[in-house]
């Protein structure tokens, strides 16, 4: 039998400091914690679980957090925060992590294990039949996995930068997201031995650790050696590029978007790796008429998952109070709240995207981007997989993610740029930009990478949004790429720039140019890309001006 304990003085001091910094409400009650509860899964595996609960008052419902990241910081801080507001909080380590039985296989067991966790909750005398789920990143995936068969007790879910389709995350556009998956595999591999500091070290050193691995040929063998056979799930994901393969069924919770019936709160960042899936979740839930909230900040993934610099914690408490505890609403915000990058200004709207008009810019010879179409002309570059076009910032899992100066990238011979004249009035791009290229290659095995940048008067080129696509071998001709959604303002005197290149390495698995099965190739073949200017264009969603009183 476990003994309920009060959190120690260090934890209480941390909670008070965090509450002051993030301007959170004071705790309503004292709390206790039962550590190391044994929760049985259907196959006999034990899932280790902690239970946080309020003292001296009736509970306001239960928050379930199922995580592969351990039950310590930062998750236990969220658990104490919620318990201090009167909720029971259950934090469970996923299979194969932090004392839970079984083997960790890349989160492939979460649909069944989540249901077994709820079955255990139903047997607890303190469970009052009101349930919420909460968590970020992979803890978002555990929520969507549970929502494949939503428990009748569920009242709401708070999903922060979490995927619903692991396969689509691993293979987002025909090429594996190798840098992020390698980084994550390394972090999972060290977290139990070296704790939070070990994980932070992996993220800090990711580029150095990954460099020899991603350069190795064949890549599958290099990855296996680098990971020391501790992440067999990585090799299995690499060897299954076809997302219709039954292998991906335990990783696919797309149907949950159609099954959930309760209010859902979503959050992500404009430079977060989970932005596309979070926006897809919002789109489907809103189309179904559900009560769905969306917050998007200027964050990378590492910031979003620890609370968006404090922007999210208060909103999460308000959401739980309304949708789990049934408290009266004291502050009603619009359904969508986002920051416009380039300004720091937060906006609220009833829905995403807000009203916009299309503005079209055409590619010209000499690297110009104008609203005037030209009938002919073309630009070419050679992509050499022996010297692949490098990744510079953007949506990555480590601290190198986010907005960077792209000038060194744009000086490479394998990167085309097309730039507008300095804009006279401010330009707000809010929505999903599209790039259409009349494009051809002399090698049928090729990739395209496009990026929009904001070029300031000093010539610094900062990335705003991007898209990657592995082309089909027969795909010569018009190519349409939808970039990640964005909300960005270019100030007067700034210029908009389009980058076009043949890859982003090591963000995506290098296209060796030979058509070999992913991870098996040992030969490299270059590719010449040609962009015909006449029909090639950028389509911008430009925000409509707000009407005056």
């Amino acid at each position: 039998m476990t003994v309920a304990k009060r959190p120690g003085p260090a934890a209480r001091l941390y909670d008070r400091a965090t509450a002051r910094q993030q301007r959170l409400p004071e705790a309503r009650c004292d709390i206790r914690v039962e550590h190391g509860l044994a929760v049985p899964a259907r196959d006999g595996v034990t899932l280790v679980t902690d239970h946080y609960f309020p003292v001296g008052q009736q509970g306001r419902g239960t928050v379930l957090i199922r995580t592969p990241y351990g039950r310590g910081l930062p998750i236990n801080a969220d658990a104490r925060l919620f318990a201090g507001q009167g909720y029971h909080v259950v934090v469970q380590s996923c299979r194969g992590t932090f004392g839970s039985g079984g083997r960790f296989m890349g989160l492939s067991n979460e649909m069944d294990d989540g249901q077994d966790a709820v079955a255990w909750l139903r047997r607890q005398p303190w469970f009052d039949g009101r349930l919420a789920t909460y968590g970020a990143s992979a803890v978002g995936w555990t929520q969507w996995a549970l929502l494949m068969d939503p428990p009748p007790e569920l009242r709401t879910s708070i999903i922060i930068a979490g995927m619903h389709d692991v396969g689509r995350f691993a293979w987002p556009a025909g090429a594996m997201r190798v840098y992020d998956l390698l980084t994550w595999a390394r972090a999972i591999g060290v977290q139990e031995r070296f704790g939070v500091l070990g994980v932070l070290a992996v993220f800090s050193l990711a580029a150095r650790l990954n460099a020899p691995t991603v350069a190795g040929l064949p890549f599958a063998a290099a990855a296996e050696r680098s990971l020391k056979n501790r992440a067999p799930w990585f090799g299995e994901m690499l060897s299954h590029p076809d997302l219709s393969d039954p292998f991906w069924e335990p990783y696919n919770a797309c149907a949950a978007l159609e099954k959930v019936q309760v209010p859902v709160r979503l959050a992500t960042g404009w430079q977060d790796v989970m932005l596309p899936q979070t926006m897809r979740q919002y789109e489907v839930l809103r189309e179904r008429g559900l009560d769905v909230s969306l917050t998007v900040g200027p964050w990378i993934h590492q910031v979003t998952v620890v609370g968006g610099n404090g922007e999210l914690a208060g909103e999460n408490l308000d959401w739980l109070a309304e949708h789990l505890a049934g408290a009266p609403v004291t502050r009603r915000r619009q359904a969508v709240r986002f920051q416009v990058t380039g300004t720091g200004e937060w906006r609220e709207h009833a829905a995403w995207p807000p009203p916009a008009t299309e503005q079209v810019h055409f590619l010209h010879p000499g690297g110009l981007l104008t609203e005037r179409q030209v009938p002919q002309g073309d630009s070419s570059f050679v992509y050499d997989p022996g010297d692949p076009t490098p990744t510079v910032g953007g949506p990555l899992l480590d601290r190198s993610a986010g907005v960077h100066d792209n000038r060194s990238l744009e000086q490479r011979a394998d990167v085309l740029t097309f730039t507008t004249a300095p804009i006279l009035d401010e330009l707000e791009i809010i929505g999903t930009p599209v790039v259409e290229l009349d494009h051809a290659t002399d090698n049928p095995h090729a990739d395209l990478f496009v990026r929009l940048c904001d070029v300031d008067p000093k010539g610094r080129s900062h990335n705003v949004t991007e898209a990657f696509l592995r082309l089909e071998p027969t795909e010569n001709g018009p190519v349409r790429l939808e970039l990640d959604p964005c909300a960005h303002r270019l100030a007067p005197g700034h210029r908009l720039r389009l980058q076009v290149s043949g890859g982003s390495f090591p963000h995506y698995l290098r296209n060796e140019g030979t058509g070999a099965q992913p991870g098996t190739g040992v030969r490299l073949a270059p590719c010449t890309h040609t962009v015909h200017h006449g029909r090639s264009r950028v389509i911008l969603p430009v925000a409509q001006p707000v009407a005056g009183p």
Side-chain angles (χ1 to χ4, degrees):
M1 177 177 292
T2 62
V3 177
K5 298 180 180 180
R6 188 185 188 199
R12 297 197 301 273
L13 180 63
Y14 177 91
D15 294 344
R16 286 195 295 270
T18 301
R20 284 196 301 271
Q21 180 191 27
Q22 300 184 2
R23 290 177 288 184
L24 301 175
E26 293 184 2
R28 301 160 59 105
C29 56
D30 201 1
I31 68 173
R32 297 291 184 272
V33 190
E34 296 176 286
H35 291 288
L37 300 173
V39 175
R42 65 192 64 189
D43 60 356
V45 164
T46 296
L47 304 175
V48 181
T49 303
D50 296 341
H51 172 215
Y52 297 72
F53 59 93
V55 174
Q57 73 168 57
Q58 185 176 359
R60 306 172 78 197
T62 297
V63 180
L64 175 63
I65 305 172
R66 300 195 62 258
T67 172
Y69 300 130
R71 303 180 307 282
L73 277 173
I75 287 172
N76 61 357
D78 289 333
R80 294 193 302 267
L81 172 64
F82 297 150
Q85 296 301 315
Y87 303 101
H88 288 264
V89 185
V90 172
V91 181
Q92 183 175 90
S93 286
C94 291
R95 178 179 296 250
T97 68
F98 291 88
S100 287
R103 189 179 189 187
F104 180 79
M105 287 300 293
L107 300 171
S108 60
N109 297 98
E110 304 316 312
M111 294 179 190
D112 287 345
D113 288 352
Q115 296 295 330
D116 294 342
V118 175
W120 176 82
L121 279 176
R122 294 185 182 117
R123 299 193 294 271
Q124 307 313 304
W126 44 263
F127 182 63
D128 66 3
R130 292 179 294 173
L131 175 66
T133 62
Y134 169 84
S137 193
V139 191
W141 160 251
T142 66
Q143 294 181 74
W144 285 116
L146 177 66
L147 294 177
M148 285 291 285
D149 185 11
E153 298 89 348
L154 187 68
R155 297 293 187 270
T156 189
S157 293
I158 299 176
I159 302 173
I160 301 169
M163 70 191 101
H164 60 274
D165 188 342
V166 178
R168 189 66 61 184
F169 176 80
W171 291 86
M176 192 181 195
R177 193 192 300 264
V178 289
Y179 185 86
D180 292 338
L181 289 175
L182 276 174
T183 303
W184 193 66
R186 296 187 198 283
I188 292 291
V190 305
Q191 61 177 353
E192 296 195 44
R193 288 180 292 163
F194 302 110
V196 173
L197 292 179
V199 173
L200 292 176
V202 166
F203 285 123
S204 297
L205 300 173
R208 187 184 307 174
L209 293 171
N210 289 339
T213 308
V214 297
L217 293 174
F219 170 72
E224 187 175 354
R225 289 193 302 270
S226 178
L227 297 174
K228 299 180 173 60
N229 299 316
R230 293 173 182 161
W233 54 268
F234 180 91
E236 292 188 5
M237 289 184 177
L238 175 62
S239 63
H240 289 86
D242 181 0
L243 297 184
S244 66
D245 191 299
F247 168 82
W248 292 107
E249 289 180 7
Y251 297 101
N252 188 339
C254 292
L257 276 61
E258 302 290 346
K259 293 181 178 181
V260 62
Q261 300 293 336
V262 300
V264 176
R265 170 161 163 70
L266 302 170
T268 187
W270 293 126
Q271 295 292 326
D272 194 311
V273 292
M274 300 299 180
L275 173 67
Q277 292 211 25
T278 300
M279 301 304 273
R280 176 60 181 165
Q281 294 156 17
Y282 168 81
E283 176 185 339
V284 174
L285 299 182
R286 181 175 179 271
E287 286 177 352
R288 292 183 53 220
L290 292 190
D291 183 358
V292 55
S293 164
L294 174 67
T295 301
V296 190
W299 312 307
I300 65 173
H301 191 69
Q302 302 308 110
V303 174
T304 312
V305 298
V306 294
N309 287 325
E311 289 285 344
L312 301 179
E315 295 179 9
N316 295 338
L317 288 177
D318 290 345
W319 187 267
L320 282 178
E322 177 181 358
H323 296 289
L324 182 59
V329 179
T330 58
R331 178 177 55 182
R332 171 65 73 178
R333 280 180 165 149
Q334 296 265 37
V336 176
R337 183 169 176 261
F338 59 87
Q339 188 180 106
V340 181
T341 56
T343 69
E345 174 187 334
W346 284 88
R347 301 252 181 100
E348 293 187 16
H349 286 270
W352 176 270
T357 57
E358 281 191 357
Q359 187 178 103
V360 180
H361 293 260
F362 294 91
L363 282 58
H364 282 233
L368 298 179
L369 193 63
T370 80
E371 294 183 71
R372 180 177 59 85
Q373 186 174 13
V374 294
Q376 57 188 1
D378 52 55
S379 302
S380 298
F381 65 92
V382 176
Y383 174 81
D384 179 4
D387 180 23
T389 316
T391 300
V392 176
L396 300 168
L397 272 184
D398 72 2
R399 286 285 181 176
S400 69
V403 178
H404 289 262
D405 189 343
N406 282 237
R407 281 179 292 182
S408 61
L409 175 65
E410 293 166 352
Q411 290 169 2
R412 288 177 57 104
D414 57 359
V415 179
L416 298 179
T417 61
F418 299 87
T419 310
T420 67
I423 62 173
L424 300 179
D425 300 311
E426 63 186 32
L427 175 67
E428 286 195 353
I429 306 170
I430 300 183
T432 301
V434 172
V435 172
E436 295 179 346
L437 297 178
D438 189 0
H439 171 265
T441 65
D442 67 350
N443 183 334
H445 308 292
D447 300 339
L448 271 174
F449 179 77
V450 297
R451 171 178 273 183
L452 291 180
C453 293
D454 179 343
V455 183
D456 69 19
K458 294 184 178 181
R460 294 171 296 201
S461 179
H462 294 111
N463 49 298
V464 175
T465 180
E466 62 192 48
F468 172 91
L469 180 64
R470 177 147 295 179
L471 300 172
E472 295 292 335
T474 59
E475 201 164 356
N476 263 338
V479 179
R480 177 183 170 91
L481 298 99
E482 287 194 0
L483 283 68
D484 290 339
C486 65
H488 182 79
R489 180 190 297 171
L490 281 79
H494 286 226
R495 295 173 291 157
L496 179 69
R497 175 169 292 163
L498 169 69
Q499 293 178 16
V500 181
S501 59
S504 177
F505 178 80
H507 190 178
Y508 300 98
L509 182 65
R510 171 171 48 180
N511 194 327
E512 296 148 357
T514 63
Q517 285 297 304
T520 68
V522 295
R523 186 171 62 86
L524 303 175
C527 175
T528 299
H529 294 251
T530 301
V531 176
H532 305 294
H533 299 147
R535 293 182 294 172
S536 296
R537 60 183 187 164
V538 180
I539 305 171
L540 302 176
V542 175
Q544 294 181 359
V546 178

